[in-house]
Amino acid sequence: MNAQTTYAGPWRVGVDIGGTKIEAALVSPAGEIVASERVPARPGNEAVLDDVTALVRSVAGHLGDPKSSIAAVGVGTPGQVDSATGHIAHVVNLGIEELELGALAGERLGVPVHVENDVNAAAVGAARALCGNDTSGTIVCLNFGTGLAAGVVTEGRVVHGFSGAAGEIGHVPVDPNRFPCPCGQRGCLETVCSGASVARLWPRTIDGRPPMPDLIDRARAGEFAAQRVLAMVMHAIADALQMIGQAYDPRLIVLGGGMAKTGDPFVQVIREELHEREADCPFLAGLKLGERLRLAPVDINLGALGAALCA
């Protein structure tokens, strides 16, 4: 069952699988997280299955009413995900080549388990957190993590596309720097504006600061090398935003992932890049993309919330 246009419903558990941790959240019929637990992620098929099922059982134990029960479980995970079958593949950080996660976890738990791509799950969670039960229009969550991808939610439902590749804008090869990408192409957007690429382009941070806030601060201070790298990164981000804005015309564009934790300074430099482009293009100015930007809430596990709402 997909996320619906209302979030009222039975109790659910959402699970967010990451490269370093797995977190489960108990989600009420009103669509609110009421309890959560996490464990360090362990590699391997059996370890992931064991951890997911143990966390679901544990967090479900927070239900105060013994008559209440979990109706469904949603799992958000990186890698290639077939949301129709629950099959996942190529979860590199956890050493998973292939795993029938939905079916096997469902057998162990005795409830339906829906598996969703982690960025898609986060997009559903972001839509709920920022818009409540108003699911009108399209919300896009642009995730600046190890890679770059977009989760697209229209009228409360995830847009998967024909093969499940909707939103994979990180591998659109339009960046003029033409850096090689692990996917086999050159010039993919994520070779310049993902978290991993910014760390590669700007490894000279001071006192172990994260690359993005350090890069912005030092560019603002007039450091030429920082200004050069920031210009590259912002050019690619603005390209990504134009693709999203012109392809989906979303109500909101939510900025998520590690880079977005830089906060308001991150949004400000993006808006400055967009304003420069708008100065010469009335069409782009009319879209007002900068006004649609929102930071993903950092006090909610959007992946776990969204996974539950997709279940």
Side-chain angles (χ1 to χ4, degrees):
M1 180 164 49
N2 291 323
Q4 303 296 310
T5 55
T6 175
Y7 293 112
W11 288 89
R12 295 181 173 92
V13 172
V15 182
D16 179 34
I17 297 178
T20 60
K21 56 86 181 170
I22 301 176
E23 182 168 345
L26 178 64
V27 177
S28 74
E32 305 295 336
I33 293 177
V34 298
S36 62
E37 297 182 17
R38 69 168 63 183
V39 296
R42 300 182 297 149
N45 288 19
E46 285 303 312
V48 169
L49 267 173
D50 289 345
D51 290 341
V52 167
T53 53
L55 274 171
V56 170
R57 292 186 178 117
S58 181
V59 79
H62 290 272
L63 280 172
D65 182 357
K67 296 181 181 180
S68 299
S69 61
I70 300 301
V73 173
V75 181
T77 178
Q80 294 181 357
V81 179
D82 185 334
S83 60
T85 66
H87 176 84
I88 67 174
H90 309 304
V91 188
V92 177
N93 288 342
L94 294 178
I96 294 175
E97 287 297 322
E98 292 192 65
L99 175 62
E100 298 293 343
L101 179 58
L104 293 174
E107 288 176 7
R108 294 190 185 190
L109 293 168
V111 296
V113 176
H114 176 82
V115 185
E116 189 60 74
N117 171 268
D118 57 346
V119 177
N120 288 341
V124 174
R128 173 67 176 88
L130 294 173
C131 302
N133 283 338
D134 180 5
T135 58
S136 60
T138 296
I139 309 292
V140 175
C141 184
L142 195 56
N143 189 73
F144 297 95
T146 302
L148 171 70
V152 183
V153 179
T154 297
E155 306 299 333
R157 296 178 181 272
V158 172
V159 176
H160 293 106
F162 177 74
S163 66
E168 290 289 351
I169 65 168
H171 294 296
V172 178
V174 296
D175 185 73
N177 296 286
R178 308 297 296 168
F179 295 128
C181 182
C183 79
Q185 302 183 99
R186 285 184 172 271
C188 291
L189 282 175
E190 74 171 43
T191 64
V192 178
C193 67
S194 65
S197 65
V198 173
R200 173 180 56 81
L201 293 167
W202 191 250
R204 58 190 83 180
T205 59
I206 297 174
D207 297 328
R209 296 183 70 200
M212 198 68 221
D214 186 79
L215 178 61
I216 293 172
D217 286 348
R218 290 166 69 177
R220 296 285 201 212
E223 188 170 330
F224 175 77
Q227 291 174 339
R228 182 182 62 81
V229 172
L230 184 62
M232 292 169 55
V233 174
M234 288 303 109
H235 185 274
I237 289 177
D239 282 350
L241 289 171
Q242 280 195 240
M243 289 178 191
I244 291 297
Q246 292 166 228
Y248 296 105
D249 193 21
R251 173 181 167 192
L252 294 178
I253 303 174
V254 184
L255 308 176
M259 279 168 55
K261 293 178 181 178
T262 303
D264 289 337
F266 184 57
V267 178
Q268 183 60 35
V269 292
I270 293 173
R271 285 179 173 154
E272 289 172 5
E273 174 69 23
L274 289 172
H275 289 161
E276 285 189 20
R277 296 186 180 202
E278 291 167 355
D280 298 320
C281 180
F283 165 73
L284 186 57
L287 296 179
K288 299 181 180 179
L289 293 178
E291 296 180 13
R292 309 190 202 189
L293 302 181
R294 299 291 187 276
L295 287 167
V298 295
D299 57 343
I300 304 172
N301 187 319
L302 298 178
L305 174 61
L309 297 174
C310 287

